[in-house]
Amino acid sequence: MKENKMDRMKELVEQLSQAAYAYEQEDREVMTNREYDALYDELKQLEEETGTILSGSVTQKVGYEITSSLPKVTHSKRMLSLDKTKEVSKLKAFLGNEEGLLSWKLDGLTIVCTYEGGKLVSAVTRGNGTVGEEITNNARTFKNLPLTIDEKERLILRGEAIITYADFAKINEGISEADGKYKNPRNLCSGSVRQLNPQITAKRNVRLYAFTLVEGGPDFETKEEQLNWLNRKGFQTVEYRKVTASNVEEAVEYFSKAIDKQEFASDGLVLTYNNRRYSASLGETAKFPKDSIAFKWKDEIVETKLVNIEWNTSRTGLINPVAIFEPVDIEGTTVERASVHNLSILEELKLGIGDRITVYKANMIIPQIAENLTKSNHIEIPEICPVCGAPTEIKQDKQTKTLVCSNSNCKAQRLRAFAHFTTRDAMNIEGLSEATIEKFLERDYLEDFTSLYHLAQYEAEIIEMEGLGKKSFTKLMNSIEKSRDVAIANFIYALGISQVGLGTAKLICKHFNNDLEAMMEAAEEELTAIDGVGPVIAEEFAKYFSLEANKSMVNHLKNELSFKVETNVVLSDSKIANKTFVVTGDVTHFKNRKELQAKIESLGGKVTGSVSKNTDYLINNDSESSSSKNKKAKELGIPILTEEAFLSLIE
């Protein structure tokens, strides 16, 4: 019996870890909140029954793993998750004879702000609870966060960064393509706060609501006094109600009715003891502080009938199913559609037109399907993209199955495609931001990449566009003209072929002696014969040129360009000539990883994206990292070099 429970626990750990990573790192959902909570509770129950906690269990994790290129900062005090309940009776039991504060649990991104000498000197995301990402420059653009305060002593506070519904709607209104719109304020906020460009953060109107003082300030007796003091210092604090066991139910009722009138998303409430000394005396578990608990809303579930499944191609090429059902009233609003997210969830629900389904609002906000009562299971998966008509593909990423459009030149993906085409490592066209590209697409100035080289015909119209003008137009035209002279590897990379980075493009171009025609006609077998090009890359490359629309576009485009032939002179005594490298992690001796890659290639080495038996060296300054590349290198006995070791090698 215990063996069966252990097998189920392993399965749950894998499922929940993937779902948490997708939601917290990639801002996408592979299962509904309701499903996640149910599986989480099941895992927690099994851990209690067996007395065993498996490695990697989400019940022991308190945040996302850091994978971005933002600087990493270790928190002075570890940030823990909160235990949770959906029962008011548990809130009463938690309070006992103590007084508490009940406040919104805001659905955004937790930030730790540090002030010294009255100035904001640091802002760090929660991260994994121990190490977060440093986002100080972005925090300085938050709409309501004081940059200076009249408190000269060191002060550390925690708050939740959010984007209001009004600002969320305004940002989405500026996006013409329905499938390019952001799904919810939380995802938009997460991406905005962790931007590498503070100018983008500033445009998103991010706000911060303080909810606790970690260090500094007077030695107040209560949490309420702390919050009031922060208010007086200029911080916007989270709304709260002072409660006891006798009136906490009434306070929960107040918040549940008030949520529809709030300007922000909330995924529940937080109850914490008001007496600070009592709170401090309780300590904490490995994951939870003992002085606070989260209350999650009970979902209002309504039965209805599924009438259709719409398929929407997003700007990333994913074709997402959306359930259309007979309108129902939930939490005071009429609901008639809900995202099904991906094929895995569609198949798990066994949906069919006419099925009786139950629906709810996750966190009283986002419509979701709770259950399929009839499970007829007869939804047909589209074989062609609803936007461009190209063949669709079903892709399996571990346990998540998705439907994608095979054509990276699909109209739904054009904003993303043009944005990539113009980047520095691609065609290097300056002055063409995503916002400008979007304006051109809306006006039908851009059909495919070739039309970039004919924008001059719209000179009068472009000059009159907001944010442009004669000077910007001239600068853009000069940059476009300059891009006509391009290395063929950069051109191949610019096409945006799935899995084909600049390093891979260089390998392919070198193999075919920069012969574009030969590359366009290459079969998968010939491509896989290239050292550093695996079967997945070969399949994607060959598939791209198998589409007549792509071939035609490239043939027209090459008439606009002049391909530079780059001849790399490799020193005969180079110690890394023909050696294959993989580069991962942060670098310090080079400006970035691309500069390090260029150095390797200038000495005759090759750089690929993944570790395999053909890899000679992995460069990673953190040789003890638990990353998948480090693990693979150690399994295969491949040397892991720091930058210093690499520099010694080439010298």
Side-chain angles (χ1 to χ4, degrees):
M1 181 68 175
K2 187 172 181 179
E3 287 183 4
N4 292 338
K5 289 183 178 180
M6 292 295 289
D7 289 340
R8 178 58 178 161
M9 286 168 65
K10 290 175 184 176
E11 185 181 332
L12 289 169
V13 166
E14 178 72 13
Q15 281 183 272
L16 290 168
S17 295
Q18 288 180 19
Y21 183 89
Y23 181 73
E24 294 163 345
Q25 275 295 101
E26 301 171 343
D27 295 329
R28 64 186 181 89
E29 295 178 359
V30 297
M31 65 175 65
T32 65
N33 289 353
R34 184 184 179 84
E35 289 170 317
Y36 184 90
D37 287 345
L39 295 178
Y40 183 99
D41 291 341
E42 182 186 351
L43 176 59
K44 192 173 180 182
Q45 179 65 33
L46 287 170
E47 288 175 344
E48 291 172 359
E49 290 175 8
T50 61
T52 302
I53 297 175
L54 298 175
S55 174
S57 171
V58 294
T59 66
Q60 304 304 301
K61 293 184 177 180
V62 295
Y64 60 81
E65 293 300 317
I66 305 301
T67 60
S68 81
S69 57
L70 290 166
K72 313 302 184 292
V73 177
T74 301
H75 294 299
S76 58
K77 184 177 179 182
R78 189 164 176 250
M79 300 177 68
L80 302 175
S81 299
L82 296 179
D83 200 0
K84 66 181 188 297
T85 182
K86 289 189 176 184
E87 305 297 331
V88 176
S89 60
K90 289 190 178 180
L91 297 184
K92 292 180 179 180
F94 176 85
L95 282 168
N97 296 321
E98 290 294 321
E99 183 180 69
L101 297 186
L102 188 67
S103 60
W104 294 114
K105 186 175 184 293
L106 301 179
D107 194 17
L109 200 67
T110 302
I111 308 293
V112 182
C113 296
T114 301
Y115 289 79
E116 291 182 356
K119 294 182 179 180
L120 176 66
V121 296
S122 171
V124 182
T125 66
R126 174 183 169 185
N128 63 9
T130 301
V131 179
E133 297 162 310
E134 199 264 317
I135 51 102
T136 309
N137 289 335
N138 292 343
R140 290 191 174 113
T141 72
F142 290 0
K143 293 301 175 186
N144 64 340
L145 183 65
L147 299 182
T148 60
I149 57 176
D150 66 356
E151 177 68 25
K152 300 306 177 186
E153 299 298 319
R154 179 181 172 87
L155 183 147
I156 302 176
L157 63 88
R158 292 177 188 167
E160 195 80 357
I162 60 100
I163 290 177
T164 66
Y165 286 127
D167 286 326
F168 173 72
K170 193 179 297 181
I171 291 167
N172 265 351
E173 283 171 10
I175 300 172
S176 58
E177 297 177 25
D179 300 324
K181 296 180 186 293
Y182 295 98
K183 289 184 173 62
N184 56 62
R186 187 263 174 199
N187 285 8
L188 175 59
C189 183
S190 177
S192 301
V193 168
R194 296 160 67 199
Q195 271 286 338
L196 297 180
N197 183 354
Q199 289 182 323
I200 296 176
T201 308
K203 293 176 182 177
R204 303 281 173 81
N205 291 343
V206 179
R207 302 168 193 275
L208 186 119
Y209 285 82
F211 58 73
T212 193
L213 185 58
V214 179
E215 181 182 323
D219 186 20
F220 292 117
E221 185 178 337
T222 67
K223 177 77 178 287
E224 182 180 27
E225 289 174 318
Q226 273 193 340
L227 291 174
N228 291 337
W229 182 80
L230 285 171
N231 255 321
R232 294 195 295 273
K233 293 296 177 183
F235 296 97
Q236 195 164 358
T237 54
V238 66
E239 181 188 2
Y240 66 86
R241 285 285 185 276
K242 195 155 55 175
V243 295
T244 62
S246 64
N247 69 352
V248 67
E249 188 168 2
E250 179 185 327
V252 170
E253 181 68 15
Y254 160 78
F255 281 109
S256 67
K257 289 180 178 177
I259 191 169
D260 286 338
K261 304 178 184 68
Q262 296 308 312
E263 61 180 5
F264 47 73
S266 166
D267 56 356
L269 304 171
V270 175
L271 177 62
T272 187
Y273 295 119
N274 196 19
N275 188 303
R276 293 181 58 240
R277 287 172 180 77
Y278 179 70
S279 288
S281 71
L282 298 175
E284 57 193 34
T285 68
K287 185 179 180 184
F288 306 125
K290 292 183 179 179
D291 70 333
S292 301
I293 187 171
F295 175 80
K296 301 202 76 174
W297 307 113
K298 276 190 174 180
D299 303 313
E300 180 184 346
I301 299 176
V302 180
E303 186 177 330
T304 184
K305 177 183 175 183
L306 183 70
V307 296
N308 192 21
I309 292 287
E310 285 184 0
W311 297 89
N312 296 328
T313 307
S314 71
R315 67 170 70 187
T316 62
L318 286 173
I319 303 176
N320 301 312
V322 178
I324 312 298
F325 42 82
E326 291 181 347
V328 289
D329 184 74
I330 306 177
E331 312 288 358
T333 59
T334 301
V335 178
E336 56 187 343
R337 55 194 293 127
S339 173
V340 189
H341 304 297
N342 54 53
L343 293 188
S344 294
I345 294 175
L346 183 79
E347 291 175 356
E348 185 179 330
L349 288 169
K350 297 182 179 178
L351 292 174
I353 305 303
D355 280 349
R356 299 301 300 178
I357 60 174
T358 57
V359 295
Y360 69 105
K361 279 187 182 178
N363 301 325
M364 303 176 80
I365 300 166
I366 305 168
Q368 303 278 2
I369 296 177
E371 187 180 2
N372 183 4
L373 303 175
T374 45
K375 299 183 179 180
S376 62
N377 197 25
H378 58 71
I379 297 297
E380 291 187 11
I381 309 301
E383 295 183 355
I384 61 171
C385 170
V387 174
C388 71
T392 60
E393 298 174 21
I394 295 176
K395 291 197 172 182
Q396 182 82 39
D397 178 16
K398 293 184 179 177
Q399 293 183 349
T400 304
K401 191 184 292 185
T402 56
L403 187 69
V404 299
C405 171
S406 62
N407 179 17
S408 59
N409 194 39
C410 172
K411 189 174 182 180
Q413 303 178 57
R414 282 184 185 169
L415 175 59
R416 183 168 176 260
F418 274 104
H420 171 77
F421 186 81
T422 58
T423 55
R424 179 173 298 179
D425 285 340
M427 301 302 290
N428 193 21
I429 299 175
E430 297 178 353
L432 202 55
S433 65
E434 279 200 24
T436 302
I437 292 170
E438 192 162 19
K439 290 175 183 177
F440 290 172
L441 286 169
E442 287 173 352
R443 291 164 173 78
D444 294 325
Y445 296 168
L446 298 176
E447 181 63 27
D448 59 25
F449 298 144
T450 310
S451 52
L452 271 172
Y453 296 93
H454 299 277
L455 280 174
Q457 64 183 305
Y458 303 110
E459 178 178 358
E461 294 91 338
I462 292 173
I463 288 173
E464 294 300 318
M465 288 169 59
E466 184 180 352
L468 290 165
K470 180 67 177 176
K471 188 175 180 180
S472 296
F473 177 80
T474 302
K475 184 178 178 181
L476 175 59
M477 289 301 105
N478 289 338
S479 184
I480 288 173
E481 285 303 308
K482 187 178 177 182
S483 76
R484 290 181 185 272
D485 191 22
V486 62
I488 194 166
N490 295 82
F491 170 73
I492 292 294
Y493 171 65
L495 294 175
I497 303 170
S498 179
Q499 307 293 329
V500 178
L502 181 57
T504 303
K506 287 180 178 179
L507 294 176
I508 294 171
C509 290
K510 182 178 179 182
H511 176 83
F512 288 100
N513 295 317
N514 297 315
D515 185 342
L516 181 57
E517 297 295 333
M519 286 184 255
M520 291 171 68
E521 299 299 328
E524 286 184 43
E525 294 76 15
E526 185 174 5
L527 290 162
T528 51
I530 303 171
D531 189 15
V533 177
V536 174
I537 294 173
E539 180 185 1
E540 294 291 351
F541 193 90
K543 194 184 298 174
Y544 180 89
F545 287 110
S546 70
L547 292 171
E548 286 303 320
N550 290 344
K551 270 188 179 178
S552 175
M553 186 267 293
V554 171
N555 282 326
H556 283 101
L557 187 54
K558 70 182 182 182
N559 295 328
E560 304 286 345
L561 308 173
S562 174
F563 294 124
K564 293 186 290 188
V565 177
E566 293 185 339
T567 54
N568 292 324
V569 179
V570 179
L571 301 176
S572 59
D573 60 348
S574 169
K575 295 178 181 177
I576 65 170
N578 299 316
K579 299 291 185 183
T580 300
F581 290 78
V582 173
V583 180
T584 190
D586 293 331
V587 295
T588 55
H589 291 275
F590 295 85
K591 277 196 303 185
N592 48 45
R593 285 187 290 190
K594 290 176 183 174
E595 187 177 73
L596 173 53
Q597 178 178 331
K599 181 66 174 177
I600 293 169
E601 291 172 347
S602 72
L603 295 172
K606 293 177 288 187
V607 179
T608 60
S610 57
V611 176
S612 71
K613 63 181 181 181
N614 297 319
T615 305
D616 292 294
Y617 299 102
L618 171 65
I619 298 179
N620 187 354
N621 284 321
D622 184 3
S623 60
E624 299 305 313
S625 162
S626 59
S627 70
S628 58
K629 288 178 181 176
N630 265 33
K631 288 178 182 176
K632 187 73 172 177
K634 288 175 181 177
E635 287 173 9
L636 297 173
I638 294 166
I640 301 175
L641 305 179
T642 62
E643 281 178 272
E644 288 82 358
F646 168 73
L647 292 170
S648 297
L649 175 66
I650 63 175
E651 288 170 3

